[in-house]
Amino acid sequence: MIVDRGPSVEMSSYAQLMLVMSHSVLPGAKIAVSSVLNRDVKQFGKQHLTDDDDETCWNSHQGTPQYIGARLSAPHRPRQLRLQFQGGFVGADCWLEAGPAPDQLHRLHAFYPDNINRLQTFDVDCPHPVTHVKVVFNGSTDFFGRVVVYRFDLLADAEDSVDGQPVG
């Protein structure tokens, strides 16, 4: 697991190379979330997870677990998960699930975000191309179980699929 702790930590040359050779698999994906604070989708909805606007966010309602799900537009092998939380409203006891269909998701691995505002990056070891992913926040640093996410991205190798067919 790699945690991006900001510009004071230098990335290895391997990590820099992987970043250049990776791309986001979320454009064109259908995003789903477990809940939205007060059902105010205009202000706190799922569309803010991928809008690249530092002023907007997805804010879950209270309770656990919470999740972010994505149906990808084509099969991919995710390599990195990126999340930026609002400190104090960070997911805890988290894991990533992936599979070929929503009812065939398998838990890939757990990850443990820091309670900070900075973008955090987690390595993903996905053995096969998948079309569905789900990030589960089984707990929260917030007493009421709310989770606030400003950025959500999933990166895959640039050459991981061609016209939806796995390469290699």
Side-chain angles (χ1 to χ4, degrees):
M1 171 173 57
I2 298 174
V3 178
D4 183 357
R5 300 190 187 274
S8 62
V9 176
E10 291 185 30
M11 294 173 81
S12 70
S13 46
Y14 174 76
Q16 290 174 353
L17 177 63
M18 292 308 295
L19 184 62
V20 170
M21 296 178 63
S22 299
H23 70 284
S24 175
V25 297
L26 293 180
K30 301 281 188 195
I31 306 291
V33 294
S34 51
S35 66
V36 175
L37 183 65
N38 299 325
R39 296 187 179 140
D40 187 351
V41 296
K42 184 175 181 182
Q43 187 171 354
F44 300 118
K46 63 188 177 184
Q47 70 275 13
H48 299 303
L49 286 167
T50 57
D51 66 2
D52 290 326
D53 185 345
D54 292 335
E55 301 297 318
T56 63
C57 63
W58 165 64
N59 193 335
S60 77
H61 200 65
Q62 65 186 19
T64 56
Q66 299 290 339
Y67 68 83
I68 301 169
R71 186 180 77 201
L72 309 179
S73 60
H76 294 281
R77 289 180 60 194
R79 295 296 183 201
Q80 286 188 337
L81 170 66
R82 292 182 173 183
L83 293 164
Q84 183 176 5
F85 297 94
Q86 178 177 324
F89 298 88
V90 175
D93 187 20
C94 308
W95 63 83
L96 178 70
E97 299 175 352
D103 61 344
Q104 296 176 347
L105 297 177
H106 300 283
R107 187 171 168 169
L108 294 179
H109 63 83
F111 62 97
Y112 305 93
D114 291 329
N115 190 3
I116 58 174
N117 296 339
R118 291 191 200 109
L119 183 66
Q120 299 180 61
T121 302
F122 306 95
D123 283 341
V124 174
D125 184 18
C126 188
H128 305 287
V130 297
T131 54
H132 292 77
V133 295
K134 186 176 185 181
V135 179
V136 179
F137 310 108
N138 199 43
S140 172
T141 57
D142 174 56
F143 178 77
F144 297 103
R146 295 169 294 188
V147 176
V148 178
V149 178
Y150 281 85
R151 288 185 190 267
F152 166 60
D153 203 0
L154 193 64
L155 302 180
D157 292 343
E159 70 281 348
D160 73 342
S161 69
V162 175
D163 295 329
Q165 298 299 314
V167 174

